Amino acid sequence: MKPAAFDYVRADSAEAACELLARHGEQARILAGGQSLMAVLNMRLAQPEMLIDISRSVSLARIEIRDGYLQVGASATQAELEWREGLARELPLLQLAFPHISHFQIRNRGTVCGSIAHADPSAELPLCLLALKGSVVLRRGTRQRLLPADQFFTGMLSTARAPDELLEAVRFPLARPGQGFGFREFSRRHGDFAVCAVAAIADAQGLRVAVGGVADRPMVREWPLLEGSALDDALNEFAWALDARDDPQISAASRRHLVRRLGRQAVAEALQARNSK
Amino acid sequence: MNHDILGRQQLYPVTIEVNGRSRRGHSTTRMLLSDYLRHELGLTGTHVGCEHGVCGACTVQLDGVACRSCLTLAVQADGRRVDTVESLAGEGGVLSELQAAFKRHHALQCGFCTAGILMSSTDWLQRLRQQGRKPSEQDVRDMLSGHLCRCTGYAPIVKALMEVADA
């Protein structure tokens, strides 16, 4: 349970990290909080030749409000966002989801961007980013490209990021008046990976429901303001469309049950939050 | 900040302010902070369990924030501050408030997980105190979900933590 040997270098800016990625690309991995990567290295599931450590970069640790969204830099920790004053107002969905994201001790060091770059299908932050129609900022050298979340996640632990690109920041659109949010998760123990997690957003136009932990990536659906059996039918169709598989943890049928049940609860929570404003 | 690439074969000097004292040792790039504390500095209060971030036994505070020392490289901690369980007791071995509560409530048996739980809880309780928040029992249990204990059944740990939180 010790990592294989690697070269190590610190990068204190996006430019420095990109320069190193351009030279070492495929062989190198970005080390930010290390809460996913170091576990993978310790178990030797990955053996990169080089780690580019951005965890101490001040310029990459910024969390700032811009034009309608909150931008979180590559080295900002989950705890920095979670304990941010005003998060409940700015991003209520994240406030609901944070207690489910691993443990306090992991969020202290784990980064927001790291979880999104890792793209675990059961992780909460990729799910929330997709539900909120967020986007990622990818940088190669001096050039940046902006990619919406639904184009970024491409499958199990895989994304549209090229080996020489840095996930420089992510953007979460801020809550707008009239929106309500709901979040539900089922896991074996508190803080474990989600067996199924559902994020729901309700506004005057309709519902947006995203599910994590079932398909190979978070998935999302948009509906008008459905109620009663129409909502049940929509959730049921969504549950089947996710192509759940049996695994040692839980059966596919149980996963579909969770999508329907947690989906119902998350939607109810979102509608109630919307109405109580 | 240095941009030099540290090669995998060599040992590098690593200086960390550990428990208020500057300590210098040597590390390869791949050495974990947990191993550095135990083997280079002889601070064996930090325990090593699962080595992939699950069990919580190796939790220390890095710049005052509780984190897993098995998921941190020693070279990453160079120039920073680390506090371990050895920092908690005062002069002459007087137990900290939390340690004393653990003793009173029999919140430990074999002690393997205890160091990590104490380091997490100290940071967490302090942060809640700064915000003027009092945790519920459920909050305490959620925080403890980051630690595995195989002896106590957690109930006495929760009691000890609630007592300190309510004080």
Side-chain angles (χ1 to χ4, degrees), chain A residues 105-169:
Chain A
Q105 301 82 352
I106 300 291
R107 299 196 295 272
N108 277 344
R109 225 137 132 84
T111 60
V112 174
C113 288
S115 170
I116 286 161
H118 189 56
D120 189 299
S122 57
E124 293 82 359
L125 286 168
L127 174 67
C128 290
L129 189 73
L130 178 72
L132 293 168
K133 291 190 192 172
S135 52
V136 302
V137 181
L138 293 164
R139 176 193 277 263
R140 175 188 282 127
T142 56
R143 297 183 61 171
Q144 287 178 326
R145 65 177 175 135
L146 192 67
L147 210 59
D150 58 358
Q151 289 173 37
F152 180 66
F153 301 111
T154 55
M156 171 91 68
L157 305 178
S158 47
T159 67
R161 185 187 72 84
D164 60 348
E165 278 182 314
L166 172 74
L167 176 61
E168 188 179 6

Side-chain angles (χ1 to χ4, degrees), chain A residues 176 178 202-207 223-226 274:
Chain A
R176 292 188 300 276
D203 61 20
Q205 278 74 50
L207 301 167
W223 300 311
L225 282 169
L226 301 175
R274 184 186 70 129

